[in-house]
Amino acid sequence: MERKDKDKLDTLQMTCLMIAYTTGSSIVFIPNSISEVARSTSWLSMLISFSYGIIVLFCVLYLHRAHNGVSLIEYSRSLIGNVLTYFLSLPLILMLFFSLPGVVAGIGEFLSSVMMTETPGFVFDSLIFMIAAFTVRSGVKVMARMFVLLVGIMLALTLLVLLMAIPNYDPLYLLPFFSNGIRPVLHGAFISAGFPFGEIFLFSMVFPFVRGNGKMASVKSMYLAYGLSGSVLLLSVVCNLMAFGPATGTLKYSLYSLASVIQIADFIQRIEAIVVIALITGSFMKACIFLFILNQIMVKLLGLKDENTLVYPISLVSLMLSLTMFRTPAEFTKQVYTLWPFTVIFIGGAILFLLAVISLFKQKNRTSSAKG
Amino acid sequence: MTDRVIAFFVFIAAVPLIDFPAYKRMPFKGAAIYVVLMISALYLGYIFITGAALPNITDLISFIYGGPAEALMRMFKPNE
């Protein structure tokens, strides 16, 4: 279905969508999970995984431009055929049915373990899914307009907390380098390459909604948005390290813990609520984008005309998954920091790189046959 | 458990009720996937209410990718 240009997203809206997607829930979970394995060299892990994400983004944008701005499913059909596209889409659907409930379960677990301990987790999860489903059904344009405001709030509050915590920083905590060799650094890079930087490949389902079908202005803004998200995450990791040192890895929600130690002039203290706003908005936006992508993949695969048909049942299944899939917090940690990065890098990344290589070869063949 | 039963029935009843006007114009493929998703939700709802240790999506993902992912994790362990 061809969309009119006015129904598509402008550069600012797409930029905000990208920041929301990349920064989203990772700002809650990434600092401590990387610090736990890479310790004082977490920042290096972040830089390695950030570089991997740039390669993924480059491939996504190349495929987007080479195929006149259609989605991953559509150019996959033209490159490898219908049957193989169905075959390759199944792991993607499985991945999204894991990640979407995972994002919501994470924030539900945070709220029910830290903020409102007497309230059952399903209250938070169901509310988030209900609002996410309404948001996705109202369309990508409405979602992006809303996210322009929410991204601003999330980034401003996060940076405010990082700035206010300056008196607690000790740069010596960033030493020593490579105390346990290179392997922990690579482990940290593996985690953050899967969550959130490698996840960029799924954004190929959102790019068709941007105006201009891959013009340079939108391409530049995508790299800019990605760079900004990476910088915020890197800053968050470094600040947490400087504040807590080796203990960062033991704090489950390190940004929240950072806000709790802020004390300025005896009256600015206990500002954790500010962080909670940033955490909830970030995770909500990420859940919305995952739901939108999952719905788009299924709609495009089945060739449904009504794009909203499956939003509610997908949300319902994801809600039930978020309430049942992680039996213990330890299982959540294992699944999110071991299996999710693995699937993102080795399944999602492999599919994307395969399509990019096939596309490149086909384009070269076409060029050489046109010359001949 | 009562709160879970009530919550689940609210969720499972709300979705078909809201989507009711769309049923008539839903193509076969869309309707088939819709039914599959609702059956999956019923299965997961049973796990949610009873707390039964039945297979879930995480078991499927662990079954498919668990082996190679664990092997990779062992490679990342620092030398003692």
Side-chain angles (χ1 to χ4, degrees), chain A residues 8 30 54 78 103 162 165 169 227 287 327 358:
Chain A
K8 291 188 169 184
I30 277 302
I54 287 185
S78 72
V103 168
L162 296 180
Y169 297 155
R327 294 178 189 106
I358 294 173

Side-chain angles (χ1 to χ4, degrees), chain A residues 107-347:
Chain A
I107 201 71
E109 159 77 12
F110 167 74
L111 288 170
S112 55
S113 64
V114 178
M115 298 291 290
M116 298 163 78
T117 49
E118 297 296 315
T119 312
F122 68 78
V123 174
F124 306 114
D125 292 17
S126 56
L127 283 173
I128 292 172
F129 270 116
M130 194 173 75
I131 302 167
F134 289 154
T135 309
V136 170
R137 269 186 77 114
S138 60
V140 69
K141 186 93 181 168
V142 175
M143 189 165 82
R145 275 180 185 160
M146 188 169 85
F147 286 5
V148 172
L149 179 70
L150 293 180
V151 162
I153 292 172
M154 182 186 74
L155 289 182
L157 294 180
T158 305
L159 292 175
L160 181 73
V161 168
L162 296 180
L163 279 174
M164 287 171 86
I166 285 176
N168 300 290
Y169 297 155
D170 181 359
L172 284 178
Y173 278 138
L174 295 174
L175 298 171
F177 295 140
F178 304 110
S179 56
N180 284 321
I182 190 78
R183 288 181 188 193
V185 180
L186 294 177
H187 190 180
F190 167 76
I191 293 173
S192 50
F195 171 58
F197 296 123
E199 292 171 351
I200 287 289
F201 85 93
L202 287 168
F203 222 67
S204 47
M205 292 305 297
V206 186
F207 279 132
F209 295 89
V210 70
R211 273 183 211 153
N213 287 352
K215 279 182 186 163
M216 275 323 284
S218 55
V219 170
K220 269 184 192 168
S221 69
M222 287 304 101
Y223 282 115
L224 198 71
Y226 179 76
L228 183 65
S229 304
S231 308
V232 171
L233 287 174
L234 181 66
L235 194 66
S236 176
V237 167
V238 171
C239 290
N240 274 293
L241 263 178
M242 287 197 295
F244 301 114
T248 311
T250 60
L251 302 166
K252 205 173 174 188
Y253 308 105
S254 46
L255 195 63
Y256 180 81
S257 307
L258 187 63
S260 67
V261 296
I262 290 171
Q263 189 164 1
I264 298 171
D266 285 337
F267 68 95
I268 299 175
Q269 53 184 319
R270 307 290 303 174
I271 56 163
E272 298 96 304
I274 287 181
V275 171
V276 176
I277 298 169
L279 302 188
I280 294 173
T281 47
S283 296
F284 165 71
M285 288 188 288
K286 183 132 186 182
C288 284
I289 299 171
F290 269 148
L291 178 58
F292 177 79
I293 292 170
L294 178 54
N295 182 53
Q296 279 297 316
I297 290 179
M298 292 181 83
V299 163
K300 291 278 187 291
L301 264 185
L302 299 168
L304 301 179
K305 280 183 184 164
D306 183 359
E307 292 191 347
N308 287 332
T309 306
L310 298 175
V311 173
Y312 288 142
I314 290 172
S315 306
L316 179 65
V317 171
S318 304
L319 167 64
M320 299 321 297
L321 279 170
S322 75
L323 299 170
T324 56
M325 65 198 277
F326 303 116
R327 294 178 189 106
T328 58
E331 200 176 336
F332 176 86
T333 308
K334 188 197 161 196
Q335 300 272 353
V336 174
Y337 302 126
T338 305
L339 290 175
W340 176 245
F342 182 86
T343 53
V344 168
I345 296 168
F346 292 101
I347 307 301

